[in-house]
Amino acid sequence: MVLGANAQGYSLKATVEGIADGTKVVLVPMSHDQEDPIAEATVSGGKFSISGKVEFPRAVFLMVKNTYGVAEFMLENADITLSVSASKEKTQDGSDRYSFSNLKVTGSPLSDRLFTYLAKRDALDKIYNDNSTRFADISKKLGNARMAKDKALYDSLSNSEEGKAMLAAEKQFFKTVEKTYTDAINENLDSFWGPLLTLNFYSYLTPEQQSLYNSFSDEAKQSWYGKKVRSEVYPGADDGGKAKPFTVDDNGSTKTLAQLCQGKRYVLVDFWASWCGPCRKEIPNVKRQYELYKDKGFEVISISIDKSEAAWRKAVEEEKLQWPNFIDKTNIAKTYSVRSIPSMFLIDTTTMDIIASGDAARGEKLAEKLASLFK
């Protein structure tokens, strides 16, 4: 039995400094999604306690409820003791944020292991901060030249000894980051630690990282963390690359994805919003492709994540969109793991496979893909 293991579940006893009595704290699963808390407690006398059972080891964020700022550790079925300090501050928009420090966890061997990996990330942060301090002057000068659109000055500064040194340091830093992350993940391809570290190290994932996901063992892929990684590198796809079904509200009636695909060969699902500049810049390209192939079986389905229906309708009219348009009332964007827009998915309606997504379903790459499909 692992030291501290408790077959009955976990018992967490925490001492916190800087969090007022009566404040609610929560444990939220670490991921790139907005996860619901799995436990909640109230601080009393500078302490709180939580007990329960987890089906598998969970990397969790300790947070003050409804605020920003986290302290991360592993929640496992063991008797765990935790202590941490926190300081409260305001963000630019006036929201509360807690900065956590001096986190100490005992009775959790998995937390000890997690901390060794997070220390690697902290070491990279130090290198970055040191570089920022070292090159603060040249960085400011370059920024001013860029703002002034003075290309000659910008080029002169870039080619100066200090400019070249900054560029070399930046290149070396990013090489160090990639090697550090890759080495740590590659050491853990056979367990949940591989995808867990992937989620920890990278702020977001893209379809370009499918090869990383595919390098995981079946055990790692089937873990909760593996499924989270898959949802990002294969966005919108069920197992096997199938497009996830959804239902839209069509002026009071409903239509399914399958119904919208009837009679079409290829369908582009486009997530966008009226306020999204890059989305609207992409529209002319989509219009060109639509005009080229609409009579050959190509369809576009635009789904807006606008909160204002009036703003959405106004944008549809301004852009003169001729294909089916809907506002997302049924959390389709969440179903498709949409984290930024524009986000596009090209579907082969014969198999309902997603055959292109992300950058591969936009701009010139979309044009090239459709040209090859309709040749």
Side-chain angles (χ1 to χ4, degrees), residues 51-89:
S51 59
K53 191 170 186 176
V54 287
E55 296 180 10
F56 54 89
R58 306 297 298 259
V60 295
F61 294 137
L62 168 63
M63 306 175 66
V64 173
K65 190 174 183 179
N66 298 325
T67 69
Y68 297 102
V70 305
E72 184 180 357
F73 67 100
M74 293 296 292
L75 185 64
E76 54 184 306
N77 291 323
D79 296 324
I80 303 171
T81 302
L82 177 152
S83 65
V84 70
S85 300
S87 59
K88 186 178 179 180
E89 55 197 32

Side-chain angles (χ1 to χ4, degrees), residues 171-216:
K171 290 178 66 175
Q172 182 57 47
F173 172 71
F174 287 116
K175 284 177 63 177
T176 302
V177 169
E178 191 58 31
K179 185 177 189 309
T180 300
Y181 288 177
T182 300
D183 288 351
I185 293 169
N186 284 343
E187 291 170 4
N188 293 280
L189 297 176
D190 293 334
S191 74
F192 71 84
W193 282 101
L196 184 155
L197 293 175
T198 300
L199 294 170
N200 248 307
F201 288 156
Y202 296 103
S203 299
Y204 62 91
L205 303 171
T206 70
E208 283 68 35
Q209 290 165 294
Q210 290 174 2
S211 60
L212 170 59
Y213 169 82
N214 291 331
S215 69
F216 293 141

Side-chain angles (χ1 to χ4, degrees), residues 85-231:
S85 300
S87 59
K88 186 178 179 180
E89 55 197 32
K90 291 288 187 181
T91 63
Q92 288 185 340
D93 64 2
S95 302
D96 289 334
R97 178 185 180 86
Y98 282 82
S99 294
F100 290 91
S101 60
N102 304 319
L103 174 64
K104 296 180 181 178
V105 178
T106 58
S108 171
L110 295 182
S111 290
D112 294 337
R113 181 172 178 179
L114 175 66
F115 296 154
T116 65
Y117 292 118
L118 296 186
K120 297 177 184 292
R121 190 177 63 188
D122 293 341
L124 293 171
D125 287 343
K126 185 178 185 307
I127 296 173
Y128 177 84
N129 291 331
D130 288 347
N131 283 345
S132 296
T133 300
R134 177 185 172 189
F135 298 109
D137 184 58
I138 184 66
S139 180
K140 182 178 180 179
K141 290 177 179 177
L142 284 165
N144 290 339
R146 188 185 300 110
M147 290 286 291
K149 297 183 179 180
D150 189 335
K151 187 176 184 304
L153 176 58
Y154 185 88
D155 289 344
S156 174
L157 290 168
S158 297
N159 291 318
S160 68
E161 289 302 315
E162 194 175 7
K164 289 178 180 179
M166 184 181 75
L167 179 60
E170 286 180 349
K171 290 178 66 175
Q172 182 57 47
F173 172 71
F174 287 116
K175 284 177 63 177
T176 302
V177 169
E178 191 58 31
K179 185 177 189 309
T180 300
Y181 288 177
T182 300
D183 288 351
I185 293 169
N186 284 343
E187 291 170 4
N188 293 280
L189 297 176
D190 293 334
S191 74
F192 71 84
W193 282 101
L196 184 155
L197 293 175
T198 300
L199 294 170
N200 248 307
F201 288 156
Y202 296 103
S203 299
Y204 62 91
L205 303 171
T206 70
E208 283 68 35
Q209 290 165 294
Q210 290 174 2
S211 60
L212 170 59
Y213 169 82
N214 291 331
S215 69
F216 293 141
S217 68
D218 289 341
E219 177 183 339
K221 290 177 180 176
Q222 291 303 313
S223 70
W224 186 84
Y225 308 101
K227 292 175 181 178
K228 286 291 182 181
V229 171
R230 179 184 171 81
S231 74

